[in-house]
Structures are given as C-alpha cells and as structure tokens.
Amino acid sequence: MQPAELSAVDLVAAIRQGDLTAVQCIEAFLDRVARLDGSINAFLKVDREGALATAAAIDARRKAGQPLGALAGLPVAVKDALCTRDLPTTCASKMLAGFRPPYDADTVARLRAADAVIVGKTNMDEFAMGGSNENSAFGPVKNPWDLSRAPGGSSGGSAACVAADMAPVAIGSDTGGSIRQPAGLCGITGLKPTYGRVSRRGLVAFASSLDQIGPMARSAADCALVLETIAGHDPLDSTSLAVDVPRYTELLEQPLTGLRIGRVRDHYAEGLDPEVGKGVDEAFAVFEAAGATIHEVELPHAKYGVPTYYLIAPCEASSNLARYDGAHYGHRCDTLRGGFDSPLVEMYCRSRGEGFGPEVKRRIMLGTYALSAGYYDAYYAKALTVRRLIRQDYLDAFERVDLIGGPVSATPAFKLGEKTGDPLAMYLVDLYTVATNLAGVGGISFPCGFTKGGLPVGFQLQGPALAEPLLLRAADRFQRLTDWHLRRPKQIA
Amino acid sequence: MTLARKDVAKVAMLARLALSDVELETMTSELSKIVGFVSLLEELDTSTVAPLAHPLDTQNAFRDDVPRPSLSTAEALQSAPRHDGECFLVPAVLGESGAA
Amino acid sequence: MTKPAATSEPYTTVIGLEVHVQLQTNTKLFCGCSTKFGAPPNTQVCPVCLGLPGSLPVMNREAFQLAMKAALALECRIAPFTKWDRKNYFYPDLPKGYQISQFDLPFSSDGWLEVVDPKGAFARKVGIIRVHLEEDAGKSMHDEAAGTADTRIDLNRAGTPLCEIVTQPDLRSPQEARAWLNELKLLLVYLGVSDCNMQEGSLRVDANVNLHIQRPDGSVAKTPIVEIKNMNSFRSVERALTYEAARQYDEWQATGAELGKIPKQTRGWDDPAGVTRAQRHKEESSDYRYFPDPDLVPVTVSEAQIATVKASMGEPPTVLRTTLAERWKISAYDADVLVNQGRELVAYFEDLATRVGEGKVASNWLQQDVLRTLNERGEAIEAFPIRPDALADLIGRVQRGDFDTSRGREIFAAVLASGRSVADVVASLGIAAVGDDELIALCKQLIAENPKIVADVQGGKEQAAAGLIGQAKKKNPNVNPAKVRQTCVDLIKAM
C-alpha cells in the first residue's frame, strides 16, 4: 500500500494495527517532499531527523505494548505561524528568520501529545497577510494543480502540501479566509472552527479577534480526526471557549434529511467565474438530492465585509506587530547612520523597514492610520459597529437555516503575479470568507468540481457558533456522494 | 480620497517604519486607494449600533495567583540580537522616558 | 470637612497626584511569573511578559480583587462592566510595543480620601478621579560611567500589576500632599493591597502643580501646569512641590505665562541639587492609539461581589482611629500613633489593653517602651519577643504596686535582654514588695538622717520630702517612691 494514497484516518488505523510502521509512513511522505517540494516550495523547514526519531520512538512504544495517542504516527505539516520549540518559526518573514521560540503552541503540544509526527513548517504569506502565498520572504508557493498559479493564502504552503500528498494533514490558520480559500484553490478540505474553539496560544497573532487555527486535509473525516485533538479549552488563552469537545469523528455518520442550507443572494455575482458558479450550483444539487432543503437567505451587509475586515484586521495587526522591533528578538539593523531622532528610534525604524515585506508594511500603516487620533471613530470604531451588523445577519439567517452554502472564492486559482500589482484586487479574493471571521462562526471548504482547465472549484459551508459537528457531517456526506476530494494533481516532475 | 504625503510620513514614524522616498510615494498612493475603499462604510448609519470588539460574548476569564515556571535567563535571551548574559542591550536611551 | 491651608504666599498652590502602586500578588498581572523584588535580571520572565510571538495574557484574579479593595477603600464607584485597552508606544522596556491598561472604561472612579493633620494644621478631602489596573513595564538601565553606548533592559518587572490612582487637583500645599500620601500608604498597607515601598518602587508618584495668583484687580492668573517626575520619597515630593511652586511664581513674575498658552511641561526632580529641571520635549505628542485589547475579555462585577470584597476588608485606618479612641478611652493623638504603626501593632495593643483592663496605660507602654525598642532594632511588632501576655503581667505588677514604673522599665529591659520571663527577672533582681513595717523603719531612719528636710516639711513645704526618695532607693531599691514620700510626710507630721 502507498501511504500517500491513504486517508489520515486509514493511516492512523494501519499504524495502530501494525500494518504499517510509523517510520515507514514518515519515510514515504518525506520521500515525496524531497521529490516534489523543489517545484512547489510548500515547506520552509523539513525536519527529517526529528520526524524519523519521533516515528521510531512511537514504533518502539507500540512494540512494547504501551498506549499510543490518537494520531500516533500521523505526519502533520504545521504552518510556520505556529510556534514550535525545536524548529524555527519565521511566519515567512525576514523579521523572524531563524527565530526559535522557547515553547510550543498549544495546538502543537496537543498534536505531540497525541503522538502525531511534525514533519516540518509550511510556507505562508508573511505574518498571514495575503491571499496567494506570494507575500512570503522565502519565495511563493506554487499550486500543485498548475505550477504557474497561486495556491491561495495565507496558508498556501499547508494547502499545497496536502494537495501534493506531501503530508496527509496540515495545520493552517484563518483570519479572513486563509484556510478555506487556499483549500478551495488547491482542491482539498479546510476547516476554520468557531472562534475560541482552538486555542490561539502560540499562534503568532495577526488579528487577535479574527485568528483561528484549523485542520487542512483531503477530507472532512480527516479534518474531524485532527480537530478532536486540537480543539479544547485552554485556560492560558482568555478567548478560548470553556466548552467540551464533541467526538467529531463519531458524529459524521448521520443522514442529511431535514438539513436546511441557505443560499445567499450573491452580491458579487458579476465577478463570479462561471465555472465556479456551475460547481456551486452542482454542489447545492448534491445536497438537495441527499435530502437537504435549500432556502434563499439574505446577508444584507455582505458587501461591507471586506472593507470592515480591512479595517479591523490591520488595526489589530499594527498593534500585534509592534513587538517586532529588533530589541528583544528578531531582526535588528545594526548599521545605524543617523537621520532619526535618536539611535534607538533609528534602530526601530530600520529594523522594521528591513524585516517586513511590502504587504505587511501596508497593513501596519493602514492600521496605525485608522487608530490614530482623529481617525479612530471614523474608521476603527465604525468598523466595529458594522461588525455587529454582520454578526447579526448571521444570527438572523441561522434562525431560518442550519448552514449557509456558497462559493469560497470568486475564481479558481489565479496566475502567480496576476494580482500582486494591486493590493485591492488581492484583498477582494477574501470576499466570500471574511464575514465568517467577523461573526466568529465556523466555515469549511471542500472541492465541488473542476474547471475545464483542470483547476479545482471550492464550495463553502458556514455554520452558527460551535456547529463544527454539523459542518463536518455535511461535508463528509458530500464526500461520500462525490469523489472530487480524491482527485490528485498529475504527478509533478 | 488622497492622503497627504506628510501625513503618511507621520504615520510611518508612529509605526516606526523607515520608508525610502520611493516607498513613501508608493505607500501614499496605495494607502489613499485603500482608505478610499474602506470608507465605503460611511454609507451605513450605525449611530445606534454598539461596537463589537469580540465576536463571542465571553467574560471574566481569570487565572489563580499561583506561580508558573519562568524561563531561564539563557532562554529569555536566546533570541536577543544583543545581550550581555543578563540583560537585553539596545542603543542608549539617554534622558528619554517612555510614555507620559 | 475641608480647611484651607494657612499660607502666607501670594498664591494658592494647586496640586494633583498620580500614584502607581504595585499590587501585592504572588504573580504578575497576566502571567505566572513571580513578582518578588530584587531577583537577578531576567530571571522572572516568560513568553507572555517577554512579549514573544504567539503569547497571550490571562488576568490574575487576585490582582483584580486587590484593586477592587483599593478602589472601595477609596470610596470609588465600581463599574459593573470594565474592559482592557492597549496603549501603543515603542520603548525597550515595553516588549509588546503596547501596555495593557484601561482607557475610557476604568474599573472604578469618583472616590475620595481625606487627610487630617493630627495637630490641626489642615484637613483636606481629596477627590479621586479614577483607579484603574494596568501592567508595569520593565527596567532600562543606563550606566553612563561604563561609557558604553548601550542601555540594559531587565524585564523582571514587566507585567507586574499596578493600580493607577489619579486625584483631582484638590491638594493645596506640599505638606498636605506629603501627608495625603502617607495616609494613602497607610490605607493600602492596612488592606494588604501593596507594601507601598518607594525605595523598592512599589509606589511611584508624579505630581501636577500650578499656581492660582490673585491679581490686584481681583482676577486670578493661573500658571501653566507642570508635571513633576522622579521623586523618590514622600519627603522628596514635599521638597519638589515647595521648590516648584516658588519657581513657578518667579517665572510668572518674569514672563506672565498663563495656563493654556503654553503646553503642559514635564520637569524632573533632582533630589541632590534640590531643583526641578525641564525634560526633553518629545518630538511628537504621544498618540497612543488606544483600542480594546482583543486578547482579553471584559470583566463584569456584581453588587454581590462588591459586598463580598467589602466584607473582607476590615476597618480602614480612619475608622480604626476613632474606634480605638472610643473603645479604650485614649486620646485622638494616641490612637493616631498606634494606627499609623499598622494592623499588627493595633492587634497587639488591643490584646494588651484587654489584659491590662485599661487603654491609656497600655498605650503609654507601647509608645514609650515597645515602639522605641522596635525602632532601635528595626524590628516589626510581629517579631517582638515580649508578647502581650508577658507585658500585661509586668504592667499588672506595677499597677498592684509591686514596684514603680521606672523599676518596671528596668525589668522590661532585662526581660528583653535575657529572654527570661517577667517572674524570673523580678526574682533574680531581688525585687520584693517592701512591707509596711520595713518601710516605716526605713523612713524613720531617713528622717533621723535629714533634719533639714524634716524642718522644711514641718515648715509647710511637703514637697521637700521628695528629696528623701533618692536616699531611700539607695538603701532599698524596691521601695515605692510615692509610698516613701507619703510615709515620711506622715511620720514628720506626727512628730
């Protein structure tokens, strides 16, 4: 059997049963990384030695009859926005090149405790700011379906990694769509849980009230497996929900009869690629045939989602990224040549000027401007009120339907370089995903078809707070009735 | 919506970002466009709407006043660009104070 | 009740204070690092207080409780809903690039604390605008002598919980300000909120001061407000304010500059030189871009919670002074001295007074003997070896007439020095009550030896008999001087 052809659920079962050793499993995937990642650039760091050592230890314990964690032997790639104690954590930025945090993110600790094997850190848009993974200081990630195209972002590396079977599961983070959109463009499944469902401790913060960590895998069932491990209350994260974690994997097997799925009258219909529209229509049809009913719903403030997001997120980011000043860690510019009020101010300005890429600087500037005296009310405070309206739209809609379905991206994967010249054009790739984060609810995206050109088309389901069981169940049922999620890109040379 | 170059320069200083003249020029035009775009929110009358800073309604998250292990000094300084084994070192801050 | 301070200056000094107190918790405000003073640099730090990427704050429950106690004791209103804000600025002792504080919704506001001078020189009720909770920054140290171009940063202090107390500009003299600070310190120490030790930095004060000057035409000129920083003791505060008021008056006479015409100035107090100096004017007025901290959730406080905190607070010093004076029939002055020494000494006093059955005597012994010893030794009452039961025993013997007070003091000193019990020391000093017969015999002897004194007494000067006391003590140290005098007078009169 080829480990790369197995689902995470099957891999874990095979290792537990002894049909496959953890070392064999890891070797198989690392082998693919070695062969394929040169063209894709999904990984910033591959930890061959550490992963094999961990796998060997798991095999030894299994042999000795000792108990193993729920993800024993499962290779996991982790977005480089999550702190790992033994591996550099760079957020794809020169600012943190080589930085080693002295602790693991809560998610990483839970994965390790479940005996998952962390094979490496994946590439991303710098500090999670971007929708194409072209904002990395270490080169863009290529879409495995078409290497001339972007995988989406900011979790582009994690998405490409799974799409190319370089790891069965990856961890991403989603602030305005950064799990769901790249999952959609790469033909895989990605879940952004309800805000607070997964601890943010150890996730390098971009926008604290919007960030969430989530699983990316080939299927909803695999996402459910990982979510069971990483979800849960963390008393060291004040925004973490003190709510029990359901056994997601056990809640998948339920029919969809009676499920009410909302369809939003699309404000962006003009910009929607017709092939994406077709894929979305067909997805609705699949759900209907499976017993769900489709209802028209309104999200009246949808068109304000992107501007609201592009105020709140940069404002929070401008503050979250103030700590990167070259004083206590990270990049410091040591060649001071004057021109500032003091050497200290010069050190700050040059270190940050050198360490951050253009998109990060843009957002810091935007956020600083919007929070500054005289502008706070018109911009940041205003955006917070619209946020409440957007959340209310969801609360109202979910009185009438259980889930809301629709596109995750207006277009399939776009060409590298296509949108990099226009920041606003890049911001608009988030138009179907930002509202989920603003409202704090959960969303999942999964493939629902392909374009004639062979590019994946993604479908998104959004649910009310803590509706992960329902989201996963619905996506899982879709994946039992279709096989889009099993398609793989042609072998990349 | 056009921002003035000197205002953008002030924001850059507030944000402690060194921008070259070219960067300042580009940033001014880009920010102008983006600010114009986000000003779409002005269309909405939200005078009776309360701001929503947190998406969920959690409150009162506390921890007990019980010590947890600290880092060793070596760990604390391990990523410091400059240190002397005990303290972080930064360019001198003579005669200045931080905040008011 | 507010009495204006008597002043002979041609102006009124208007003073407001901004006080930061470190709360007496075990751990920091947002993380579990210790807050113990004096640790080696960067040994009490963690990812949270270092501001490492991905770190998150969680509020210390005890810090919030202590802050509430302080606010309630300062008669503040507690907000039923409060939130945390980020104050954004760049400085190396602020690793996150922002301080978590409270901006527009502090957890308490609108209180007061009165200070009354025991000698009656002033009484001032000072309004409190707000009390809020925030985290402290670290320490930056610049060693100019070492000649290096670097500043050293120690982040042990970063994240320590601070209560910021902002007063109305109600104080009217440097003396009032100093006294008010002492009263505040006493209150907060009583509550167990802070040890208010300026030397260790657990209490810091900045002062805002300006003058209201009466012009000949009756109008009032106001000088620009100056903020004074870098005062390291309450005495410095008084000295700095005194200097600054005079300086402002001189400046006003020279320039006529008034409030509102020039921006608020900051001046640092130079204690050795005894002057305030203008600090470098910052190139930009600080725009802190306050916004609600998205990593922290709001805090709600119910009436029931407030009641619970109030019930745990005990009597504050102001109430305690009155209670002690009334309960034990001691003077306001005595009550003040005792209360100012702290809760433990008050407990000692009450225990002692209960045993002795009388307040005044207990108060005297405490003030004159116990406190003097404590001060000499730099000890706290908790460590004082003579406990209330032993001291009560000693006082009881004096009251019974076993020996007089001055003898009692000798015994006190001997007990302190030897660690032996009162009874042991009394026995070893050979102190025994002098029987009446023995006393009469002794007095007769003295009378025989002092014909001049006898003649004086017989001539009407009874007080001359006091001259026999010293001689009596030499013959028998155990005699009661009063009894000696009376017995001699009686004997002489009977002659």
Side-chain angles (χ1 to χ4, degrees), chain B residues 14 16 54 58-60 62-65 67-68 70-71 73 82 84 86-88 90 92-94 96 99-100, chain C residues 26-27 29 31-33 42-43 45 58-61 90-91 142 149-153 288 296 298-300:
Chain B
L14 261 186
R16 295 295 188 268
H54 292 93
T58 7
Q59 291 165 342
N60 300 330
F62 288 105
R63 42 164 264 277
D64 293 331
D65 188 26
R68 289 175 53 87
S70 292
L71 295 175
T73 307
R82 293 196 53 229
D84 64 7
E86 288 186 337
C87 288
F88 300 90
V90 295
V93 284
L94 300 156
E96 293 173 34
Chain C
N26 296 321
T27 61
L29 186 54
C31 68
C33 289
N42 294 303
T43 52
V45 292
V58 184
M59 176 144 310
N60 182 331
R61 180 180 292 111
F90 287 88
Y91 205 69
H142 189 78
D150 293 321
T151 293
R152 307 175 74 223
I153 307 292
Y288 295 119
L296 290 168
V299 170
T300 57

Side-chain angles (χ1 to χ4, degrees), chain C residues 54-328:
Chain C
S55 60
L56 292 173
V58 184
M59 176 144 310
N60 182 331
R61 180 180 292 111
E62 177 66 7
F64 192 76
Q65 293 290 313
L66 290 181
M68 270 220 289
K69 272 191 185 171
L72 287 169
L74 293 170
E75 305 292 341
C76 289
R77 190 189 82 86
I78 306 290
F81 178 93
T82 192
K83 66 176 176 58
W84 314 98
D85 302 299
R86 293 190 184 179
K87 179 180 185 181
N88 298 281
Y89 65 96
F90 287 88
Y91 205 69
D93 65 5
L94 196 70
K96 295 192 293 294
Y98 59 86
Q99 176 197 28
I100 301 177
S101 178
Q102 298 196 284
F103 179 52
D104 56 329
L105 216 55
F107 84 90
S108 72
S109 57
D110 299 316
W112 52 268
L113 177 66
E114 184 174 20
V115 62
V116 179
D117 176 51
K119 300 198 179 84
F122 54 78
R124 185 72 61 197
K125 181 170 173 179
V126 177
I128 307 244
I129 298 175
R130 56 189 276 158
V131 177
H132 75 247
L133 189 53
E134 62 182 27
E135 58 174 348
D136 207 349
K139 275 213 185 88
S140 40
M141 302 166 284
H142 189 78
D143 187 359
E144 306 221 22
T148 63
D150 293 321
T151 293
R152 307 175 74 223
I153 307 292
D154 171 15
L155 295 177
N156 279 354
R157 200 182 65 180
T160 303
L162 290 181
C163 241
E164 179 174 319
I165 301 166
V166 183
T167 77
Q168 296 278 7
D170 287 343
L171 292 160
R172 290 290 174 269
S173 79
Q175 292 69 32
E176 281 181 27
R178 179 176 180 176
W180 188 86
L181 285 169
N182 274 310
E183 190 66 14
L184 176 69
K185 171 172 176 167
L186 187 67
L187 177 62
L188 296 180
V189 169
Y190 255 83
L191 289 171
V193 162
S194 172
D195 61 13
C196 295
N197 184 332
M198 282 192 88
Q199 274 58 50
E200 290 182 0
S202 57
L203 187 149
R204 310 199 279 262
V205 184
D206 294 330
N208 287 300
V209 57
N210 76 334
L211 309 178
H212 291 187
I213 303 163
Q214 192 113 59
R215 292 199 193 86
D217 67 4
S219 64
V220 175
K222 299 182 183 180
T223 59
I225 297 175
V226 170
E227 181 184 25
I228 307 178
K229 293 169 112 58
N230 200 38
M231 298 167 290
N232 294 330
S233 64
F234 292 166
R235 183 168 170 273
S236 292
V237 172
E238 185 180 354
R239 290 181 66 217
L241 288 169
T242 305
Y243 170 87
E244 178 60 22
R247 188 200 70 79
Q248 283 192 18
Y249 188 63
D250 288 345
E251 183 159 304
W252 180 79
Q253 288 187 305
T255 70
E258 289 188 39
L259 175 67
K261 303 292 197 300
I262 65 169
K264 176 169 158 184
Q265 218 192 120
T266 303
R267 298 179 73 88
W269 172 245
D270 179 341
D271 205 63
V275 300
T276 61
R277 295 186 205 289
Q279 289 190 341
R280 231 173 66 124
H281 179 63
K282 286 199 267 263
E283 84 289 347
E284 89 226 12
S285 55
S286 313
D287 183 355
Y288 295 119
R289 289 157 279 133
Y290 286 98
F291 72 101
D293 192 327
D295 288 328
L296 290 168
V297 294
V299 170
T300 57
V301 181
S302 67
E303 289 297 330
Q305 284 169 299
I306 294 173
T308 309
V309 174
K310 271 196 178 147
S312 74
M313 274 165 45
E315 282 178 308
T318 39
V319 174
L320 203 48
R321 285 182 190 113
T322 319
T323 308
L324 281 186
E326 284 170 10
R327 183 182 298 154
W328 298 106

Side-chain angles (χ1 to χ4, degrees), chain A residues 261-266 293-298 397 400-401:
Chain A
I261 303 182
R263 181 165 192 161
V264 183
R265 189 165 59 77
D266 195 344
T293 52
I294 315 298
H295 309 260
E296 264 242 342
V297 291
E298 284 278 341
R400 301 183 44 233
V401 294

Side-chain angles (χ1 to χ4, degrees), chain A residues 44 80-81 89-93 96 124-128 138 204 324:
Chain A
L44 291 177
D80 210 19
T89 301
T90 70
C91 299
S93 179
L96 287 178
M124 53 185 279
D125 280 301
E126 187 182 357
F127 282 107
F138 307 111
V204 179
Y324 305 108

Side-chain angles (χ1 to χ4, degrees), chain B residues 18-77:
Chain B
L19 298 177
S20 67
D21 285 337
V22 172
E23 283 176 307
L24 187 57
E25 198 66 48
T26 316
M27 187 67 80
T28 302
S29 74
E30 283 174 346
L31 276 187
S32 298
K33 274 176 68 183
I34 298 170
V35 171
F37 168 68
V38 298
S39 300
L40 182 69
L41 298 186
E42 285 165 22
E43 277 178 18
L44 286 170
D45 176 9
T46 57
S47 50
T48 56
V49 184
L52 184 69
H54 292 93
L56 299 174
D57 297 312
T58 7
Q59 291 165 342
N60 300 330
F62 288 105
R63 42 164 264 277
D64 293 331
D65 188 26
V66 168
R68 289 175 53 87
S70 292
L71 295 175
S72 66
T73 307
E75 282 175 313
L77 298 175

Side-chain angles (χ1 to χ4, degrees), chain A residues 226-251:
Chain A
V226 175
L227 187 64
E228 266 176 16
T229 291
I230 65 175
H233 176 55
D234 179 5
L236 295 178
D237 172 355
S238 299
T239 61
S240 172
L241 292 173
V243 177
D244 290 339
V245 179
R247 299 284 293 161
Y248 299 113
T249 51
E250 288 168 19
L251 298 170

